[in-house]
Structures are given as structure tokens and as C-alpha cells.
Amino acid sequence: MTDLNKQDVYPSMKISNDRGSEKIEPVKLGQRLKEIRKSFGLTLEEASKKTGLARSTLSKIENEQISPTFQAMQKLTNGLQIDLPQLFAPPKQVSATGRRDITRNNEGKAHPTSTYEHELLATQLTNKKMMPFKSRIRARDFADYSDWIRHAGDEFLLVLSGEITFFSEFYEPVTLNEGDSVYYDANMGHMLISSSEEDALILWVTAS
Amino acid sequence: MTDLNKQDVYPSMKISNDRGSEKIEPVKLGQRLKEIRKSFGLTLEEASKKTGLARSTLSKIENEQISPTFQAMQKLTNGLQIDLPQLFAPPKQVSATGRRDITRNNEGKAHPTSTYEHELLATQLTNKKMMPFKSRIRARDFADYSDWIRHAGDEFLLVLSGEITFFSEFYEPVTLNEGDSVYYDANMGHMLISSSEEDALILWVTAS
DNA sequence: AGAAAAAGTTTCCTTTTGGAAACTTTTGGT
DNA sequence: ACCAAAAGTTTCCAAAAGGAAACTTTTTCT
């Protein structure tokens, strides 16, 4: 195999930035950590017990007097049960106004097709991590589809009413009734049909 | 005021750490870093110039002889133009068989509290991009909470039955009935109560 | 308000990291 | 194979992090 490297595959990852050490963006780790600890209602002492780091060390980290080692950070994330991404997470400014979008029943953005009738919810917000839909499933037959549906990301689906049969690439078809749900990798080929008399109503959410 | 903290009212925070790491995960940072550097076709010397870290230091980090400080890691990520998530959670295994998890009605993992009764869905899968819950809302009063609920990520909520009042930090309370949904930034303080006689049932999904 | 307890910060000292240079291993050319 | 250059590792020391305990501030009693 040729020595294909990331630069070939992912042009976006350009390393052309030749400036040795650019200005180090001051990710406010300490501040962030303090927020998290407080949000759990923990004192330094308690956090100390959970993480195995000294009270004093935690204090210094929170006040940005020291730069914790990776080891220390692992103790932090393990002890407090948080993810690293969460810690480094974007400057995360709580927007002054907050993001919120309410969609009333049947007032989403409709996308009807012969097999589905999708209603996109929360259309007012941009940069969402998830895309929620409510759909009416018209398809009654496997043959209503030309091929597996397949796309990036995770998908979660809950049956609101009716009965569907969920087909997927590596599994036997399965019947889902009201209240049943399925979570799957959308890269795996999938499709679904309504398997009762009526159309089925489902809620589904994607995230990538 | 009672010492009610987030963990009490919001047990999901505990389990939302779904990265499959209950115990001390030995993230092979050094190994991973070496992979990345090689994939860019960089020598230690070049990486050193880009990151501002000494050749020797890089070597020691890669061979896991030392645990880099947060500062050092920032230099790494800045200099090499990679982001932290990449460093920590890259194994990125696309399972050959496909990931899928079905949760039957009322068969999720329950987490009852006085105000909520959460049922975590899709408990079999790890590394999910979303965390789906079905919940029964018992709270009838604003005062059932000690403070706003606030955590990282986006949240989507759909009312399955009953009627809820959704309180959030920067908005007036709003009443949601069956079929209504709301999408919001979970960093924004929020909480909700059942505003009809019966308990309300909701579906909600978080993603961060 | 004052005392006691709890929470948080700073000091002091030990352990560990980070960097320059010496040293070893690998690669490339002849 | 040999030698030279490049790449990588280790040594040694200065600089910084981590922990125990002293100290200060804040909270919670009476």
C-alpha cells in the first residue's frame, strides 16, 4: 500500500501553517472546570476525593495558576465523569438571549414524498447538533424503495403511533410498535415501512 | 434550602458520559500523537518547529515517558492544526456489522427521582452522538427545582402526552401540548413541569 | 455581631515536566 | 559495506506541577 497520508485524503488538514508557535489561544480551562464542578454542586474537597487530586491542586487549576498535566486531566474527567471534549469545549459563551425554538404540532416544515411525509422541526435555529423530524410513513412495501437509505451520522427513531417494520442491512427486519424506539448508525443501510393498516407516525432525530 | 444538587434532579448527567469509559481509560496519547505526526509526514524536528515544543519533549510524550501539560497540549494542537477530540477519541471504528439498538416500550434503563422519571433508551450502544430519553414528569411546581438545569449540548424535546410548561432562562414560560416540541441550547437554564392533572410523558434527546 | 465550621487559597517542599545538548539508531548515498 | 546525515532517544538541569499543611475567606450557627 502506498504511503497515502492525511494530506492526500483530507486536504482540509493543511499543515502549511509554518508559523512555529502561533499565539496560544487561552482556553479558559480553569474557569470551565470551576463551572462544571459548581454545576455538580461539589466543593473542592469533594472534587478532590472524586478525582484523587489535591484540593490545592484543583484550586490552582481553577484559578489558572498552573497548567494541569494530561494525567491530572484524566483524573479530572474520570473523577467527575465528564468528557474531555466537554472540558476543552468551545469558549462556549452562553448567548445572551439563548437559543430556543418551539414547533407546534403539525407546524413544522413539510417535505412530502410518496413513501414518507417528513416534517422538519425546529426550523428557526441554525447550527443545530441534531435534526428532528416527525414523519408519516406511507410506504407499505419493501419495494417502495430503490435501495438502502444510507447517510452519515447517528439516527434515533421512536414510534408515535401505528406499527412499522424496520429493515436494516445487517439485521433481520424488526417490527416496532408505539413507544418502541431504535438507535442506529445511519451509515448502515436502512429503510422502513408501515406494517399496519394505517400510516405510521414516527419521530426521528439525526446527528452527525 | 435543601442541598439538592444537579445530580439529584438530573441523574442523566451522570450517565450521559457514554464514551464507554467508566474506569481509568488509558488513552494512548503518545501513540496517537505519533500516528498523527507520521500521517502528516513530519519529523520530530519539523513538529518541534511547528509546535514550539522541544524535539526531546515530543519524543518523550510520544513514548509516554512524560505526561504533557495542558499548555504543551495546546501547543501541539495549535501547531499541528488538529483538534483535541481528534487526539482523544480517534479510534473511530466503523463496526463491520453495523450498530443498532432497539428499545421496547418501557424497557429502557430507569432513573426515577421525585420530579422526573427518566428512562434512558438505547443503552446497549456506546459512543452515541445522541442520548435519547423518555421521561415521566412528576414535578408540578417551579419550586420542585433548586436551580436551572444547565449542561453542555443541544436538547430536543417532544411532548408525547399530557401538558408541560417549559421554563427557560431568557424566555417567558411556554405551555407545550401533545405533539409540540422544543429545541434549545441546554446551556441556557431550563426546567419543566407537568401543568395538567396527569403526569406528562416526553421524549427528549441530547447531543453534545 | 461573634464563634465555629466549612470552603477556598497560598506556602513550602517534593516530584515531574520541558528543553539543550549529548548520545544512539536509522536512512541514504557511494 | 562504509560513512555521513538525518531522525530519534536519553541525559542533565532548570522550571513548573502536585500535595500537605498553614493560612484566609466565607458560610452557618447561636
Side-chain angles (χ1 to χ4, degrees):
Chain A
M1 167 103 187
T2 172
D3 199 355
L4 195 64
N5 70 29
K6 283 276 166 46
Q7 292 177 76
D8 300 316
V9 188
Y10 299 113
S12 58
M13 286 184 184
K14 54 170 183 289
I15 55 169
S16 51
N17 189 343
D18 209 24
R19 276 166 295 179
S21 47
E22 199 161 342
K23 200 164 297 176
I24 294 154
E25 63 184 277
V27 174
K28 293 276 185 56
L29 178 71
Q31 192 177 294
R32 177 90 189 100
L33 178 63
K34 188 176 251 171
E35 278 172 30
I36 292 174
R37 176 174 62 81
K38 298 258 179 181
S39 82
F40 278 108
L42 296 174
T43 65
L44 284 178
E45 181 58 34
E46 293 165 325
S48 170
K49 283 213 184 73
K50 280 186 188 296
T51 59
L53 289 167
R55 200 164 79 251
S56 55
T57 303
L58 291 174
S59 170
K60 282 182 272 190
I61 293 172
E62 289 190 351
N63 293 303
E64 266 139 43
Q65 292 174 14
I66 63 174
S67 170
T69 59
F70 180 66
Q71 265 188 359
M73 295 207 302
Q74 280 195 313
K75 289 185 185 172
L76 276 175
T77 53
N78 279 302
L80 300 181
Q81 294 284 82
I82 51 181
D83 292 322
L84 275 161
Q86 239 185 301
L87 258 183
F88 295 107
K92 153 187 178 43
Q93 38 207 344
V94 176
S95 93
T97 101
R99 297 165 68 238
R100 199 195 69 171
D101 187 359
I102 290 170
T103 310
R104 295 296 179 178
N105 205 0
N106 296 321
E107 292 187 3
K109 204 167 175 180
H111 292 276
T113 72
S114 59
T115 44
Y116 280 148
E117 188 171 297
H118 292 325
E119 179 188 357
L120 174 56
L121 309 174
T123 54
Q124 305 304 306
L125 291 179
T126 51
N127 283 334
K128 296 191 291 292
K129 294 191 188 336
M130 298 178 280
M131 296 276 288
F133 293 85
K134 231 191 287 180
S135 300
R136 170 179 299 274
I137 309 299
R138 298 192 192 290
R140 289 293 193 289
D141 194 320
F142 191 88
D144 289 341
Y145 297 87
S146 55
D147 197 2
W148 290 116
I149 296 169
R150 198 191 298 277
H151 51 93
D154 283 10
E155 206 151 286
F156 170 76
L157 182 164
L158 173 90
V159 179
L160 297 174
S161 73
E163 178 187 279
I164 66 170
T165 300
F166 182 85
F167 295 84
S168 54
E169 203 166 12
F170 309 111
Y171 297 87
E172 288 299 303
V174 61
T175 302
L176 300 175
N177 290 286
E178 185 170 328
D180 294 345
S181 63
V182 58
Y183 192 111
Y184 54 95
D185 181 343
N187 287 307
M188 176 178 68
H190 58 280
M191 65 177 72
L192 49 86
I193 62 172
S194 168
S195 42
S196 69
E197 296 293 296
E198 42 174 339
D199 288 348
L201 286 179
I202 63 168
L203 174 92
W204 53 290
V205 186
T206 61
S208 33
Chain B
M1 161 95 61
T2 171
D3 198 0
L4 195 65
N5 70 29
K6 281 282 160 47
Q7 292 178 75
D8 298 318
V9 287
Y10 201 68
S12 62
M13 284 304 289
K14 265 185 192 159
I15 49 181
S16 70
N17 189 334
D18 173 56
R19 311 271 174 176
S21 57
E22 272 294 321
K23 54 187 68 167
I24 317 247
E25 58 181 304
V27 175
K28 293 276 185 56
L29 179 71
Q31 192 177 295
R32 177 75 193 127
L33 179 63
K34 187 177 250 170
E35 279 171 30
I36 291 175
R37 177 175 61 81
K38 298 258 182 185
S39 82
F40 280 110
L42 296 174
T43 65
L44 283 178
E45 181 58 34
E46 292 166 325
S48 170
K49 282 211 185 77
K50 282 187 186 296
T51 58
L53 289 167
R55 197 162 82 251
S56 57
T57 303
L58 291 173
S59 169
K60 283 182 273 191
I61 294 173
E62 289 190 351
N63 293 303
E64 266 141 43
Q65 292 174 14
I66 64 174
S67 169
T69 58
F70 179 67
Q71 266 187 359
M73 296 208 304
Q74 285 197 102
K75 288 185 185 175
L76 276 175
T77 54
N78 278 303
L80 300 181
Q81 297 277 85
I82 51 182
D83 48 19
L84 281 153
Q86 241 185 304
L87 259 181
F88 299 110
K92 194 70 178 171
Q93 49 195 17
V94 177
S95 111
T97 94
R99 299 164 67 238
R100 197 194 70 168
D101 186 0
I102 290 170
T103 310
R104 295 297 180 177
N105 204 1
N106 295 323
E107 292 186 3
K109 203 168 176 182
H111 291 276
T113 73
S114 58
T115 44
Y116 280 148
E117 190 171 297
H118 292 324
E119 180 187 358
L120 175 56
L121 310 173
T123 54
Q124 305 305 306
L125 290 180
T126 53
N127 283 333
K128 297 191 290 294
K129 293 192 187 341
M130 298 178 280
M131 297 280 290
F133 293 84
K134 230 190 286 181
S135 299
R136 171 179 299 273
I137 310 298
R138 297 192 194 290
R140 288 294 192 289
D141 195 321
F142 192 87
D144 290 341
Y145 298 87
S146 56
D147 197 2
W148 291 116
I149 296 168
R150 197 192 299 278
H151 51 93
D154 283 10
E155 205 151 288
F156 170 76
L157 181 165
L158 174 90
V159 179
L160 296 174
S161 73
E163 178 187 281
I164 66 169
T165 299
F166 182 84
F167 295 83
S168 54
E169 202 166 12
F170 309 111
Y171 298 87
E172 288 298 303
V174 62
T175 303
L176 301 175
N177 289 286
E178 186 170 328
D180 294 345
S181 63
V182 55
Y183 190 113
Y184 54 96
D185 181 345
N187 287 308
M188 174 178 69
H190 58 281
M191 65 177 71
L192 48 88
I193 62 171
S194 168
S195 42
S196 68
E197 296 293 296
E198 43 173 338
D199 288 349
L201 286 178
I202 63 168
L203 174 92
W204 53 290
V205 186
T206 62
S208 32

mmCIF file of all heavy atoms in Angstrom, chain B residues 121 141 157:
data_model
loop_
_atom_site.group_PDB
_atom_site.id
_atom_site.type_symbol
_atom_site.label_atom_id
_atom_site.label_comp_id
_atom_site.label_asym_id
_atom_site.label_seq_id
_atom_site.Cartn_x
_atom_site.Cartn_y
_atom_site.Cartn_z
ATOM 1 N N LEU B 121 -32.889 5.378 26.772
ATOM 2 C CA LEU B 121 -33.106 4.432 25.671
ATOM 3 C C LEU B 121 -31.780 4.086 25.005
ATOM 4 O O LEU B 121 -30.793 4.789 25.155
ATOM 5 C CB LEU B 121 -34.062 5.057 24.653
ATOM 6 C CG LEU B 121 -35.355 5.657 25.253
ATOM 7 C CD1 LEU B 121 -36.135 6.396 24.188
ATOM 8 C CD2 LEU B 121 -36.202 4.565 25.880
ATOM 9 N N ASP B 141 -44.472 22.001 40.141
ATOM 10 C CA ASP B 141 -44.201 23.360 40.584
ATOM 11 C C ASP B 141 -42.756 23.757 40.334
ATOM 12 O O ASP B 141 -41.826 22.963 40.516
ATOM 13 C CB ASP B 141 -44.479 23.440 42.102
ATOM 14 C CG ASP B 141 -44.570 24.882 42.575
ATOM 15 O OD1 ASP B 141 -43.775 25.717 42.095
ATOM 16 O OD2 ASP B 141 -45.435 25.151 43.417
ATOM 17 N N LEU B 157 -36.895 18.168 22.588
ATOM 18 C CA LEU B 157 -37.915 17.605 23.461
ATOM 19 C C LEU B 157 -39.257 17.592 22.751
ATOM 20 O O LEU B 157 -39.640 18.588 22.123
ATOM 21 C CB LEU B 157 -37.981 18.490 24.708
ATOM 22 C CG LEU B 157 -38.899 18.222 25.876
ATOM 23 C CD1 LEU B 157 -38.438 19.060 27.054
ATOM 24 C CD2 LEU B 157 -40.340 18.558 25.554
#
